[in-house]
Amino acid sequence: MAVAVPKRIASGIINALKGGVVPRTGLGYIAVGRTAEINALLHDVDITEEGGAFFRFIVGRYGSGKSFLIQLVRGFALEK
């Protein structure tokens, strides 16, 4: 099923990707195959909401999506 992306968000995504940076908004529209990592990090966010703490290292080669993943989880956390 196709999801309609609002034009303002689509334009921001395309402009950011053209510039070689991670878009600030709309990452959920282009995130693919990161379900396990996202769920693990969102679980950590839930722990923080309850007064706990966590610390993780995100390791990967250049271009593997580290900044993308962090920005995506940041967006989810800010929505909470």
Side-chain angles (χ1 to χ4, degrees):
M1 177 178 190
V3 177
V5 180
K7 288 184 180 184
R8 179 183 58 83
I9 292 176
S11 145
I13 291 171
I14 291 169
N15 288 335
L17 294 175
K18 280 182 183 178
V21 297
V22 176
R24 286 292 215 185
T25 59
L27 294 177
Y29 293 110
I30 60 174
V32 177
R34 303 305 289 258
T35 306
E37 294 97 336
I38 292 168
N39 288 338
L41 291 169
L42 289 178
H43 175 71
D44 293 342
V45 171
D46 291 339
I47 291 171
T48 303
E49 274 185 326
E50 297 169 3
F54 72 94
F55 187 87
R56 287 194 187 252
F57 286 99
I58 308 284
V59 180
R61 302 184 100 186
Y62 178 81
S64 63
K66 299 176 300 289
S67 297
F68 180 87
L69 180 64
I70 294 301
Q71 191 67 19
L72 182 62
V73 172
R74 176 185 178 267
F76 285 137
L78 289 174
E79 286 178 9
K80 284 187 167 191

